[in-house]
Amino acid sequence: MKLDSMYQEVILDHYKHPHGRGLRDGDAEVHHVNPTCGDEITLRVKYDGETIEDVSYEGQGCSISQASASVLNDLLVGKELADARKVQETFLELMQSRGQIEPDDTMEELLEDAVAFAGVSKYPARVKCALLSWMAWKDATAQAFAEEAKTA
């Protein structure tokens, strides 16, 4: 099986069987829309100190945007904030590479199923789809910790 074909199957599997879908209690909620195509997501994060306790979402859009949210849930729930940010930054780097980065073993170990989106980076119009939930997570995290700082 070719790698691209395997990556497409990973994306379709996350799209058909999403992880983390359905809004649950959280410390912060954000709603993001991709104005280019209309994909949208409402995402909530819940923290236990510096550990991501939960990431839940509801959204609609293409298989790429919805699968990416599922992968985000798998990768970030249970991680310390610093580790989650490293995953997010690495995924962002991959998505902005325009197909120039070939994931190596280290990147594959860090990103797990998210490496399936490597091919998406060749299509700038689709990169926003893949990044929609990741930008929402980043904003919700900033909001959660800003709220925490106000009450401290």
Side-chain angles (χ1 to χ4, degrees):
M1 179 185 293
K2 289 180 65 182
L3 196 57
D4 286 344
S5 167
M6 185 180 76
Y7 284 168
Q8 287 174 348
E9 283 188 31
V10 168
I11 291 170
L12 286 175
D13 186 54
H14 274 279
Y15 177 66
K16 291 176 183 174
H17 309 285
H19 305 165
R21 190 173 189 89
L23 291 173
R24 295 176 291 280
D25 287 338
D27 298 317
E29 176 181 303
V30 297
H31 181 79
H32 279 211
V33 176
N34 179 348
T36 307
C37 64
D39 289 359
E40 60 182 276
I41 190 165
T42 300
L43 184 137
R44 288 183 186 159
V45 294
K46 185 166 183 65
Y47 285 92
D48 180 8
E50 289 281 318
T51 302
I52 302 169
E53 189 174 304
D54 192 26
V55 177
S56 62
Y57 66 94
E58 278 296 334
Q60 60 185 19
C62 68
S63 60
I64 292 170
S65 72
Q66 299 305 294
S68 186
S70 176
V71 169
L72 177 145
N73 172 275
D74 280 357
L75 286 174
L76 301 188
V77 171
K79 283 206 174 7
E80 294 292 318
L81 182 57
D83 294 334
R85 283 189 172 136
K86 176 143 180 62
V87 171
Q88 188 266 336
E89 290 164 3
T90 303
F91 186 70
L92 180 62
E93 178 185 0
L94 178 64
M95 288 296 91
Q96 293 177 335
S97 75
R98 296 189 179 265
Q100 299 303 306
I101 293 177
E102 187 68 36
D104 60 15
D105 290 344
T106 304
M107 184 177 276
E108 286 182 13
E109 187 176 316
L110 181 66
L111 294 181
E112 299 176 20
D113 280 356
V115 298
F117 295 89
V120 173
S121 71
K122 298 173 188 171
Y123 306 99
R126 303 312 302 267
V127 167
K128 287 184 179 180
C129 301
L131 289 176
L132 184 65
S133 59
W134 294 84
M135 296 299 105
W137 173 78
K138 187 176 177 182
D139 288 351
T141 297
Q143 183 183 36
F145 284 96
E147 286 298 315
E148 185 180 293
K150 282 183 193 175
T151 61

